Amino acid sequence: MTDGPTVPAPPPASRTAHPIAPTVTRPVRDRPAPHTPEPAAVALPLVAAVARAVALAVVLPVRLLWELFAAAGRLLRRHLISPAGRFLRQWVLAPLAWALHRLLWLPLLWCARTLVWLPLVWLGRGIAWVARTLVWLPLVWLGRGIAWVARTLVWLPLVWLGRGIAWVVRTLVWLPLVWLGGALAALGSAAGRAVRRLLWDPLLWVVRNVLRPPVVGLGRVLVWLADHLIRRPLRWLGAALRPVGRLLVRGLVLLVGGLGVALVGLARGIWWAVRGLGRLIVIAVVGAWRTAGWLLRLVYRGLLRPLGRGLRWLWRHTVRPLLRGVRWVWSVTVVPVAHGVRAAWRATVTPAARWMRRSVLDPARLASREVLTALGLRR
């Protein structure tokens, strides 16, 4: 009897059960191949064994050498390159950057702000004030004056003159002609109606109803009566009214001639006034233009040219020497340090990297390529 748990025995295996064994896949039977000699069947395992031996003999040393170089590189980076970098950063680059920032950049910034930017700002403000006070405002006042002169002395008189001419033509020409035409039309209409009602209608009635039977004799009598009672008095009346018509026509001609002379005189007066006003405006504009040119020339000669010369002298004696000093400091400090760093890099890192690539990486790459090619893993 034992204290441990009792493990039941496995059931007996049946007769059809088989022991656990690795599964073997039977190859598909093909047609019987012709008989081949024995050395050809043994050649493939022999080549594989030789390739594996060559790969083991070549790859393993290369791998070990690569691991050795990798460990050496890690140790070199950990114990030499990183401390050297920290030392350069803390004791060379950081003090150099601080010195450049404190001794070069801040003075340059102060000089640029104090000697260049603020004078340029003041100069721009002064030029803007001068341009606004001496150029823009006089031009605005001149434009307003010209506009007022043109409106007061040209446009309004022309408007009033046009209105006066229109009123004169309407009152003295158009309305009398309209009234005369209406009167003549009314008179002609009344005369026509009177003649028709008092003469033509009775004569027509007499001719149709009374004088028609004795046409021949009464016709001669009527012709004689018409000749002595109508045609001759009408001729006398026309001869009497002809001087009156001539006088009326002459009066109309004289009236039209007088109006024409008045209009011509008025037009000449208007043309003289407009011409004189135009000459006055041209003289004023030319004088204002010459005055503005004189003022601008005076401002240029008295302010802008001395100011430009002062700025040029300031540039030559302040900014240009400062830039030359900055270039000299840059060439003395930064350029030698950069050349030294480049020379050190070329003397240390570049030969080591070239030797590592040519002596280690290229042979290892070629050996691995040959091994993989020999094993059939790469074509």
Side-chain angles (χ1 to χ4, degrees), residues 13 39 42 72 78 89 96 105 122 138 150 200 207 210 256 260-261 264 280 283 289 356:
V42 183
R78 183 179 300 173
R89 186 180 63 219
L96 182 62
W105 175 251
W122 298 337
W200 180 253
V207 169
V210 178
V256 172
V261 172
V264 170
L280 181 62
I283 292 172
W289 180 264
M356 180 70 69

mmCIF file with all atom_site columns, all heavy atoms in Angstrom, residues 13 39 42 72 78 89 96 105 122 138 150 200 207 210 256 260-261 264 280 283 289 356:
data_model
loop_
_atom_site.group_PDB
_atom_site.id
_atom_site.type_symbol
_atom_site.label_atom_id
_atom_site.label_alt_id
_atom_site.label_comp_id
_atom_site.label_asym_id
_atom_site.label_entity_id
_atom_site.label_seq_id
_atom_site.pdbx_PDB_ins_code
_atom_site.Cartn_x
_atom_site.Cartn_y
_atom_site.Cartn_z
_atom_site.occupancy
_atom_site.B_iso_or_equiv
_atom_site.pdbx_formal_charge
_atom_site.auth_seq_id
_atom_site.auth_comp_id
_atom_site.auth_asym_id
_atom_site.auth_atom_id
_atom_site.pdbx_PDB_model_num
ATOM 1   N N   . ALA A 1 13  ? -4.561  -3.260  -25.792  1.00 0.00 ? 13  ALA A N   1
ATOM 2   C CA  . ALA A 1 13  ? -4.697  -2.826  -27.199  1.00 0.00 ? 13  ALA A CA  1
ATOM 3   C C   . ALA A 1 13  ? -5.354  -3.907  -28.001  1.00 0.00 ? 13  ALA A C   1
ATOM 4   O O   . ALA A 1 13  ? -5.173  -5.096  -27.767  1.00 0.00 ? 13  ALA A O   1
ATOM 5   C CB  . ALA A 1 13  ? -3.322  -2.498  -27.770  1.00 0.00 ? 13  ALA A CB  1
ATOM 6   N N   . PRO A 1 39  ? 26.811  5.241   -59.405  1.00 0.00 ? 39  PRO A N   1
ATOM 7   C CA  . PRO A 1 39  ? 27.484  6.509   -59.081  1.00 0.00 ? 39  PRO A CA  1
ATOM 8   C C   . PRO A 1 39  ? 26.588  7.728   -59.295  1.00 0.00 ? 39  PRO A C   1
ATOM 9   O O   . PRO A 1 39  ? 26.681  8.688   -58.565  1.00 0.00 ? 39  PRO A O   1
ATOM 10  C CB  . PRO A 1 39  ? 28.678  6.528   -60.026  1.00 0.00 ? 39  PRO A CB  1
ATOM 11  C CG  . PRO A 1 39  ? 28.953  5.086   -60.292  1.00 0.00 ? 39  PRO A CG  1
ATOM 12  C CD  . PRO A 1 39  ? 27.621  4.419   -60.317  1.00 0.00 ? 39  PRO A CD  1
ATOM 13  N N   . VAL A 1 42  ? 24.491  8.379   -56.207  1.00 0.00 ? 42  VAL A N   1
ATOM 14  C CA  . VAL A 1 42  ? 25.239  8.795   -55.014  1.00 0.00 ? 42  VAL A CA  1
ATOM 15  C C   . VAL A 1 42  ? 25.810  10.198  -55.171  1.00 0.00 ? 42  VAL A C   1
ATOM 16  O O   . VAL A 1 42  ? 26.237  10.811  -54.209  1.00 0.00 ? 42  VAL A O   1
ATOM 17  C CB  . VAL A 1 42  ? 26.355  7.757   -54.749  1.00 0.00 ? 42  VAL A CB  1
ATOM 18  C CG1 . VAL A 1 42  ? 27.118  8.104   -53.477  1.00 0.00 ? 42  VAL A CG1 1
ATOM 19  C CG2 . VAL A 1 42  ? 25.760  6.374   -54.622  1.00 0.00 ? 42  VAL A CG2 1
ATOM 20  N N   . ALA A 1 72  ? 33.360  45.036  -30.991  1.00 0.00 ? 72  ALA A N   1
ATOM 21  C CA  . ALA A 1 72  ? 34.386  46.075  -30.914  1.00 0.00 ? 72  ALA A CA  1
ATOM 22  C C   . ALA A 1 72  ? 33.797  47.446  -31.224  1.00 0.00 ? 72  ALA A C   1
ATOM 23  O O   . ALA A 1 72  ? 34.137  48.442  -30.583  1.00 0.00 ? 72  ALA A O   1
ATOM 24  C CB  . ALA A 1 72  ? 35.530  45.743  -31.892  1.00 0.00 ? 72  ALA A CB  1
ATOM 25  N N   . ARG A 1 78  ? 30.737  53.021  -27.092  1.00 0.00 ? 78  ARG A N   1
ATOM 26  C CA  . ARG A 1 78  ? 30.360  53.248  -25.696  1.00 0.00 ? 78  ARG A CA  1
ATOM 27  C C   . ARG A 1 78  ? 31.467  53.928  -24.921  1.00 0.00 ? 78  ARG A C   1
ATOM 28  O O   . ARG A 1 78  ? 31.202  54.811  -24.075  1.00 0.00 ? 78  ARG A O   1
ATOM 29  C CB  . ARG A 1 78  ? 29.994  51.923  -25.059  1.00 0.00 ? 78  ARG A CB  1
ATOM 30  C CG  . ARG A 1 78  ? 29.501  52.061  -23.614  1.00 0.00 ? 78  ARG A CG  1
ATOM 31  C CD  . ARG A 1 78  ? 29.132  50.692  -23.070  1.00 0.00 ? 78  ARG A CD  1
ATOM 32  N NE  . ARG A 1 78  ? 28.077  50.085  -23.880  1.00 0.00 ? 78  ARG A NE  1
ATOM 33  C CZ  . ARG A 1 78  ? 27.661  48.820  -23.698  1.00 0.00 ? 78  ARG A CZ  1
ATOM 34  N NH1 . ARG A 1 78  ? 28.211  48.055  -22.763  1.00 0.00 ? 78  ARG A NH1 1
ATOM 35  N NH2 . ARG A 1 78  ? 26.721  48.332  -24.471  1.00 0.00 ? 78  ARG A NH2 1
ATOM 36  N N   . ARG A 1 89  ? 30.696  68.352  -26.975  1.00 0.00 ? 89  ARG A N   1
ATOM 37  C CA  . ARG A 1 89  ? 29.470  69.127  -26.841  1.00 0.00 ? 89  ARG A CA  1
ATOM 38  C C   . ARG A 1 89  ? 29.489  70.014  -25.607  1.00 0.00 ? 89  ARG A C   1
ATOM 39  O O   . ARG A 1 89  ? 29.038  71.160  -25.636  1.00 0.00 ? 89  ARG A O   1
ATOM 40  C CB  . ARG A 1 89  ? 28.273  68.188  -26.802  1.00 0.00 ? 89  ARG A CB  1
ATOM 41  C CG  . ARG A 1 89  ? 26.926  68.921  -26.821  1.00 0.00 ? 89  ARG A CG  1
ATOM 42  C CD  . ARG A 1 89  ? 25.788  67.940  -26.788  1.00 0.00 ? 89  ARG A CD  1
ATOM 43  N NE  . ARG A 1 89  ? 25.799  67.165  -25.560  1.00 0.00 ? 89  ARG A NE  1
ATOM 44  C CZ  . ARG A 1 89  ? 25.519  65.871  -25.486  1.00 0.00 ? 89  ARG A CZ  1
ATOM 45  N NH1 . ARG A 1 89  ? 25.228  65.208  -26.585  1.00 0.00 ? 89  ARG A NH1 1
ATOM 46  N NH2 . ARG A 1 89  ? 25.559  65.223  -24.336  1.00 0.00 ? 89  ARG A NH2 1
ATOM 47  N N   . LEU A 1 96  ? 31.491  77.535  -27.267  1.00 0.00 ? 96  LEU A N   1
ATOM 48  C CA  . LEU A 1 96  ? 31.611  78.289  -28.506  1.00 0.00 ? 96  LEU A CA  1
ATOM 49  C C   . LEU A 1 96  ? 30.270  78.901  -28.913  1.00 0.00 ? 96  LEU A C   1
ATOM 50  O O   . LEU A 1 96  ? 30.199  80.065  -29.324  1.00 0.00 ? 96  LEU A O   1
ATOM 51  C CB  . LEU A 1 96  ? 32.131  77.375  -29.614  1.00 0.00 ? 96  LEU A CB  1
ATOM 52  C CG  . LEU A 1 96  ? 32.354  78.036  -30.977  1.00 0.00 ? 96  LEU A CG  1
ATOM 53  C CD1 . LEU A 1 96  ? 33.405  79.134  -30.874  1.00 0.00 ? 96  LEU A CD1 1
ATOM 54  C CD2 . LEU A 1 96  ? 32.796  76.992  -32.009  1.00 0.00 ? 96  LEU A CD2 1
ATOM 55  N N   . TRP A 1 105 ? 26.227  87.534  -31.783  1.00 0.00 ? 105 TRP A N   1
ATOM 56  C CA  . TRP A 1 105 ? 24.848  87.649  -32.243  1.00 0.00 ? 105 TRP A CA  1
ATOM 57  C C   . TRP A 1 105 ? 24.104  88.794  -31.553  1.00 0.00 ? 105 TRP A C   1
ATOM 58  O O   . TRP A 1 105 ? 23.445  89.600  -32.212  1.00 0.00 ? 105 TRP A O   1
ATOM 59  C CB  . TRP A 1 105 ? 24.133  86.325  -32.036  1.00 0.00 ? 105 TRP A CB  1
ATOM 60  C CG  . TRP A 1 105 ? 22.674  86.390  -32.375  1.00 0.00 ? 105 TRP A CG  1
ATOM 61  C CD1 . TRP A 1 105 ? 21.626  86.348  -31.521  1.00 0.00 ? 105 TRP A CD1 1
ATOM 62  C CD2 . TRP A 1 105 ? 22.119  86.543  -33.682  1.00 0.00 ? 105 TRP A CD2 1
ATOM 63  N NE1 . TRP A 1 105 ? 20.447  86.456  -32.201  1.00 0.00 ? 105 TRP A NE1 1
ATOM 64  C CE2 . TRP A 1 105 ? 20.726  86.580  -33.539  1.00 0.00 ? 105 TRP A CE2 1
ATOM 65  C CE3 . TRP A 1 105 ? 22.663  86.675  -34.958  1.00 0.00 ? 105 TRP A CE3 1
ATOM 66  C CZ2 . TRP A 1 105 ? 19.877  86.718  -34.613  1.00 0.00 ? 105 TRP A CZ2 1
ATOM 67  C CZ3 . TRP A 1 105 ? 21.813  86.812  -36.036  1.00 0.00 ? 105 TRP A CZ3 1
ATOM 68  C CH2 . TRP A 1 105 ? 20.439  86.829  -35.853  1.00 0.00 ? 105 TRP A CH2 1
ATOM 69  N N   . TRP A 1 122 ? 12.381  105.799 -38.532  1.00 0.00 ? 122 TRP A N   1
ATOM 70  C CA  . TRP A 1 122 ? 12.201  107.269 -38.410  1.00 0.00 ? 122 TRP A CA  1
ATOM 71  C C   . TRP A 1 122 ? 12.256  107.945 -39.774  1.00 0.00 ? 122 TRP A C   1
ATOM 72  O O   . TRP A 1 122 ? 11.512  108.891 -40.039  1.00 0.00 ? 122 TRP A O   1
ATOM 73  C CB  . TRP A 1 122 ? 13.278  107.834 -37.488  1.00 0.00 ? 122 TRP A CB  1
ATOM 74  C CG  . TRP A 1 122 ? 13.203  107.297 -36.090  1.00 0.00 ? 122 TRP A CG  1
ATOM 75  C CD1 . TRP A 1 122 ? 12.104  106.770 -35.472  1.00 0.00 ? 122 TRP A CD1 1
ATOM 76  C CD2 . TRP A 1 122 ? 14.285  107.188 -35.149  1.00 0.00 ? 122 TRP A CD2 1
ATOM 77  N NE1 . TRP A 1 122 ? 12.424  106.343 -34.215  1.00 0.00 ? 122 TRP A NE1 1
ATOM 78  C CE2 . TRP A 1 122 ? 13.754  106.587 -33.963  1.00 0.00 ? 122 TRP A CE2 1
ATOM 79  C CE3 . TRP A 1 122 ? 15.628  107.532 -35.164  1.00 0.00 ? 122 TRP A CE3 1
ATOM 80  C CZ2 . TRP A 1 122 ? 14.534  106.340 -32.858  1.00 0.00 ? 122 TRP A CZ2 1
ATOM 81  C CZ3 . TRP A 1 122 ? 16.400  107.294 -34.048  1.00 0.00 ? 122 TRP A CZ3 1
ATOM 82  C CH2 . TRP A 1 122 ? 15.866  106.702 -32.905  1.00 0.00 ? 122 TRP A CH2 1
ATOM 83  N N   . PRO A 1 138 ? -1.244  119.556 -50.522  1.00 0.00 ? 138 PRO A N   1
ATOM 84  C CA  . PRO A 1 138 ? -1.358  120.621 -51.553  1.00 0.00 ? 138 PRO A CA  1
ATOM 85  C C   . PRO A 1 138 ? -2.036  120.154 -52.834  1.00 0.00 ? 138 PRO A C   1
ATOM 86  O O   . PRO A 1 138 ? -2.804  120.903 -53.441  1.00 0.00 ? 138 PRO A O   1
ATOM 87  C CB  . PRO A 1 138 ? 0.107   121.009 -51.807  1.00 0.00 ? 138 PRO A CB  1
ATOM 88  C CG  . PRO A 1 138 ? 0.814   120.703 -50.531  1.00 0.00 ? 138 PRO A CG  1
ATOM 89  C CD  . PRO A 1 138 ? 0.139   119.458 -50.024  1.00 0.00 ? 138 PRO A CD  1
ATOM 90  N N   . ALA A 1 150 ? -13.987 125.319 -61.550  1.00 0.00 ? 150 ALA A N   1
ATOM 91  C CA  . ALA A 1 150 ? -14.684 124.803 -62.729  1.00 0.00 ? 150 ALA A CA  1
ATOM 92  C C   . ALA A 1 150 ? -16.191 124.788 -62.514  1.00 0.00 ? 150 ALA A C   1
ATOM 93  O O   . ALA A 1 150 ? -16.970 125.109 -63.431  1.00 0.00 ? 150 ALA A O   1
ATOM 94  C CB  . ALA A 1 150 ? -14.178 123.390 -63.051  1.00 0.00 ? 150 ALA A CB  1
ATOM 95  N N   . TRP A 1 200 ? -70.740 130.365 -101.327 1.00 0.00 ? 200 TRP A N   1
ATOM 96  C CA  . TRP A 1 200 ? -70.699 129.158 -102.143 1.00 0.00 ? 200 TRP A CA  1
ATOM 97  C C   . TRP A 1 200 ? -72.011 128.373 -102.088 1.00 0.00 ? 200 TRP A C   1
ATOM 98  O O   . TRP A 1 200 ? -72.550 127.965 -103.135 1.00 0.00 ? 200 TRP A O   1
ATOM 99  C CB  . TRP A 1 200 ? -69.542 128.279 -101.719 1.00 0.00 ? 200 TRP A CB  1
ATOM 100 C CG  . TRP A 1 200 ? -69.417 127.008 -102.507 1.00 0.00 ? 200 TRP A CG  1
ATOM 101 C CD1 . TRP A 1 200 ? -69.706 125.768 -102.108 1.00 0.00 ? 200 TRP A CD1 1
ATOM 102 C CD2 . TRP A 1 200 ? -69.019 126.894 -103.857 1.00 0.00 ? 200 TRP A CD2 1
ATOM 103 N NE1 . TRP A 1 200 ? -69.496 124.849 -103.082 1.00 0.00 ? 200 TRP A NE1 1
ATOM 104 C CE2 . TRP A 1 200 ? -69.060 125.532 -104.200 1.00 0.00 ? 200 TRP A CE2 1
ATOM 105 C CE3 . TRP A 1 200 ? -68.623 127.815 -104.839 1.00 0.00 ? 200 TRP A CE3 1
ATOM 106 C CZ2 . TRP A 1 200 ? -68.727 125.058 -105.462 1.00 0.00 ? 200 TRP A CZ2 1
ATOM 107 C CZ3 . TRP A 1 200 ? -68.292 127.320 -106.094 1.00 0.00 ? 200 TRP A CZ3 1
ATOM 108 C CH2 . TRP A 1 200 ? -68.334 125.964 -106.396 1.00 0.00 ? 200 TRP A CH2 1
ATOM 109 N N   . VAL A 1 207 ? -77.635 128.280 -108.690 1.00 0.00 ? 207 VAL A N   1
ATOM 110 C CA  . VAL A 1 207 ? -77.270 127.681 -109.979 1.00 0.00 ? 207 VAL A CA  1
ATOM 111 C C   . VAL A 1 207 ? -78.056 126.400 -110.224 1.00 0.00 ? 207 VAL A C   1
ATOM 112 O O   . VAL A 1 207 ? -78.504 126.152 -111.354 1.00 0.00 ? 207 VAL A O   1
ATOM 113 C CB  . VAL A 1 207 ? -75.758 127.416 -110.009 1.00 0.00 ? 207 VAL A CB  1
ATOM 114 C CG1 . VAL A 1 207 ? -75.380 126.555 -111.220 1.00 0.00 ? 207 VAL A CG1 1
ATOM 115 C CG2 . VAL A 1 207 ? -75.009 128.741 -110.083 1.00 0.00 ? 207 VAL A CG2 1
ATOM 116 N N   . VAL A 1 210 ? -82.350 127.721 -109.739 1.00 0.00 ? 210 VAL A N   1
ATOM 117 C CA  . VAL A 1 210 ? -82.949 128.897 -110.371 1.00 0.00 ? 210 VAL A CA  1
ATOM 118 C C   . VAL A 1 210 ? -82.362 129.150 -111.751 1.00 0.00 ? 210 VAL A C   1
ATOM 119 O O   . VAL A 1 210 ? -83.082 129.379 -112.737 1.00 0.00 ? 210 VAL A O   1
ATOM 120 C CB  . VAL A 1 210 ? -82.791 130.135 -109.475 1.00 0.00 ? 210 VAL A CB  1
ATOM 121 C CG1 . VAL A 1 210 ? -83.378 131.394 -110.144 1.00 0.00 ? 210 VAL A CG1 1
ATOM 122 C CG2 . VAL A 1 210 ? -83.451 129.880 -108.123 1.00 0.00 ? 210 VAL A CG2 1
ATOM 123 N N   . VAL A 1 256 ? -36.512 138.365 -87.340  1.00 0.00 ? 256 VAL A N   1
ATOM 124 C CA  . VAL A 1 256 ? -35.618 137.188 -87.364  1.00 0.00 ? 256 VAL A CA  1
ATOM 125 C C   . VAL A 1 256 ? -34.154 137.611 -87.460  1.00 0.00 ? 256 VAL A C   1
ATOM 126 O O   . VAL A 1 256 ? -33.267 137.032 -86.805  1.00 0.00 ? 256 VAL A O   1
ATOM 127 C CB  . VAL A 1 256 ? -36.010 136.257 -88.539  1.00 0.00 ? 256 VAL A CB  1
ATOM 128 C CG1 . VAL A 1 256 ? -34.994 135.139 -88.700  1.00 0.00 ? 256 VAL A CG1 1
ATOM 129 C CG2 . VAL A 1 256 ? -37.397 135.663 -88.294  1.00 0.00 ? 256 VAL A CG2 1
ATOM 130 N N   . GLY A 1 260 ? -31.292 136.843 -84.860  1.00 0.00 ? 260 GLY A N   1
ATOM 131 C CA  . GLY A 1 260 ? -30.047 136.189 -85.279  1.00 0.00 ? 260 GLY A CA  1
ATOM 132 C C   . GLY A 1 260 ? -28.829 136.969 -84.830  1.00 0.00 ? 260 GLY A C   1
ATOM 133 O O   . GLY A 1 260 ? -27.856 136.401 -84.333  1.00 0.00 ? 260 GLY A O   1
ATOM 134 N N   . VAL A 1 261 ? -28.866 138.314 -85.011  1.00 0.00 ? 261 VAL A N   1
ATOM 135 C CA  . VAL A 1 261 ? -27.740 139.152 -84.578  1.00 0.00 ? 261 VAL A CA  1
ATOM 136 C C   . VAL A 1 261 ? -27.546 139.059 -83.065  1.00 0.00 ? 261 VAL A C   1
ATOM 137 O O   . VAL A 1 261 ? -26.416 138.970 -82.559  1.00 0.00 ? 261 VAL A O   1
ATOM 138 C CB  . VAL A 1 261 ? -27.962 140.603 -85.035  1.00 0.00 ? 261 VAL A CB  1
ATOM 139 C CG1 . VAL A 1 261 ? -26.906 141.532 -84.418  1.00 0.00 ? 261 VAL A CG1 1
ATOM 140 C CG2 . VAL A 1 261 ? -27.911 140.694 -86.557  1.00 0.00 ? 261 VAL A CG2 1
ATOM 141 N N   . VAL A 1 264 ? -26.054 135.689 -82.313  1.00 0.00 ? 264 VAL A N   1
ATOM 142 C CA  . VAL A 1 264 ? -24.627 135.672 -82.689  1.00 0.00 ? 264 VAL A CA  1
ATOM 143 C C   . VAL A 1 264 ? -23.791 136.451 -81.680  1.00 0.00 ? 264 VAL A C   1
ATOM 144 O O   . VAL A 1 264 ? -22.723 136.007 -81.237  1.00 0.00 ? 264 VAL A O   1
ATOM 145 C CB  . VAL A 1 264 ? -24.452 136.216 -84.115  1.00 0.00 ? 264 VAL A CB  1
ATOM 146 C CG1 . VAL A 1 264 ? -22.970 136.439 -84.433  1.00 0.00 ? 264 VAL A CG1 1
ATOM 147 C CG2 . VAL A 1 264 ? -25.054 135.264 -85.136  1.00 0.00 ? 264 VAL A CG2 1
ATOM 148 N N   . LEU A 1 280 ? -7.614  131.288 -68.139  1.00 0.00 ? 280 LEU A N   1
ATOM 149 C CA  . LEU A 1 280 ? -7.355  131.497 -66.709  1.00 0.00 ? 280 LEU A CA  1
ATOM 150 C C   . LEU A 1 280 ? -7.108  130.163 -66.002  1.00 0.00 ? 280 LEU A C   1
ATOM 151 O O   . LEU A 1 280 ? -6.172  130.033 -65.178  1.00 0.00 ? 280 LEU A O   1
ATOM 152 C CB  . LEU A 1 280 ? -8.545  132.223 -66.081  1.00 0.00 ? 280 LEU A CB  1
ATOM 153 C CG  . LEU A 1 280 ? -8.421  132.535 -64.574  1.00 0.00 ? 280 LEU A CG  1
ATOM 154 C CD1 . LEU A 1 280 ? -7.238  133.460 -64.319  1.00 0.00 ? 280 LEU A CD1 1
ATOM 155 C CD2 . LEU A 1 280 ? -9.725  133.166 -64.062  1.00 0.00 ? 280 LEU A CD2 1
ATOM 156 N N   . ILE A 1 283 ? -3.726  128.824 -67.066  1.00 0.00 ? 283 ILE A N   1
ATOM 157 C CA  . ILE A 1 283 ? -2.658  129.571 -66.383  1.00 0.00 ? 283 ILE A CA  1
ATOM 158 C C   . ILE A 1 283 ? -2.560  129.143 -64.922  1.00 0.00 ? 283 ILE A C   1
ATOM 159 O O   . ILE A 1 283 ? -1.460  128.952 -64.376  1.00 0.00 ? 283 ILE A O   1
ATOM 160 C CB  . ILE A 1 283 ? -2.907  131.084 -66.513  1.00 0.00 ? 283 ILE A CB  1
ATOM 161 C CG1 . ILE A 1 283 ? -2.739  131.520 -67.978  1.00 0.00 ? 283 ILE A CG1 1
ATOM 162 C CG2 . ILE A 1 283 ? -1.970  131.863 -65.614  1.00 0.00 ? 283 ILE A CG2 1
ATOM 163 C CD1 . ILE A 1 283 ? -3.155  132.955 -68.243  1.00 0.00 ? 283 ILE A CD1 1
ATOM 164 N N   . TRP A 1 289 ? 1.190   123.656 -61.187  1.00 0.00 ? 289 TRP A N   1
ATOM 165 C CA  . TRP A 1 289 ? 2.141   122.578 -61.516  1.00 0.00 ? 289 TRP A CA  1
ATOM 166 C C   . TRP A 1 289 ? 3.594   123.043 -61.314  1.00 0.00 ? 289 TRP A C   1
ATOM 167 O O   . TRP A 1 289 ? 4.422   122.323 -60.747  1.00 0.00 ? 289 TRP A O   1
ATOM 168 C CB  . TRP A 1 289 ? 1.908   122.134 -62.952  1.00 0.00 ? 289 TRP A CB  1
ATOM 169 C CG  . TRP A 1 289 ? 2.812   121.028 -63.402  1.00 0.00 ? 289 TRP A CG  1
ATOM 170 C CD1 . TRP A 1 289 ? 3.969   121.138 -64.088  1.00 0.00 ? 289 TRP A CD1 1
ATOM 171 C CD2 . TRP A 1 289 ? 2.622   119.638 -63.158  1.00 0.00 ? 289 TRP A CD2 1
ATOM 172 N NE1 . TRP A 1 289 ? 4.521   119.910 -64.305  1.00 0.00 ? 289 TRP A NE1 1
ATOM 173 C CE2 . TRP A 1 289 ? 3.727   118.965 -63.749  1.00 0.00 ? 289 TRP A CE2 1
ATOM 174 C CE3 . TRP A 1 289 ? 1.647   118.887 -62.521  1.00 0.00 ? 289 TRP A CE3 1
ATOM 175 C CZ2 . TRP A 1 289 ? 3.852   117.588 -63.705  1.00 0.00 ? 289 TRP A CZ2 1
ATOM 176 C CZ3 . TRP A 1 289 ? 1.771   117.521 -62.488  1.00 0.00 ? 289 TRP A CZ3 1
ATOM 177 C CH2 . TRP A 1 289 ? 2.865   116.885 -63.064  1.00 0.00 ? 289 TRP A CH2 1
ATOM 178 N N   . MET A 1 356 ? 36.550  49.106  -43.245  1.00 0.00 ? 356 MET A N   1
ATOM 179 C CA  . MET A 1 356 ? 35.500  48.183  -42.814  1.00 0.00 ? 356 MET A CA  1
ATOM 180 C C   . MET A 1 356 ? 34.696  47.683  -44.025  1.00 0.00 ? 356 MET A C   1
ATOM 181 O O   . MET A 1 356 ? 34.390  46.481  -44.131  1.00 0.00 ? 356 MET A O   1
ATOM 182 C CB  . MET A 1 356 ? 34.569  48.894  -41.821  1.00 0.00 ? 356 MET A CB  1
ATOM 183 C CG  . MET A 1 356 ? 33.431  48.020  -41.301  1.00 0.00 ? 356 MET A CG  1
ATOM 184 S SD  . MET A 1 356 ? 34.015  46.702  -40.198  1.00 0.00 ? 356 MET A SD  1
ATOM 185 C CE  . MET A 1 356 ? 34.515  47.658  -38.794  1.00 0.00 ? 356 MET A CE  1
#
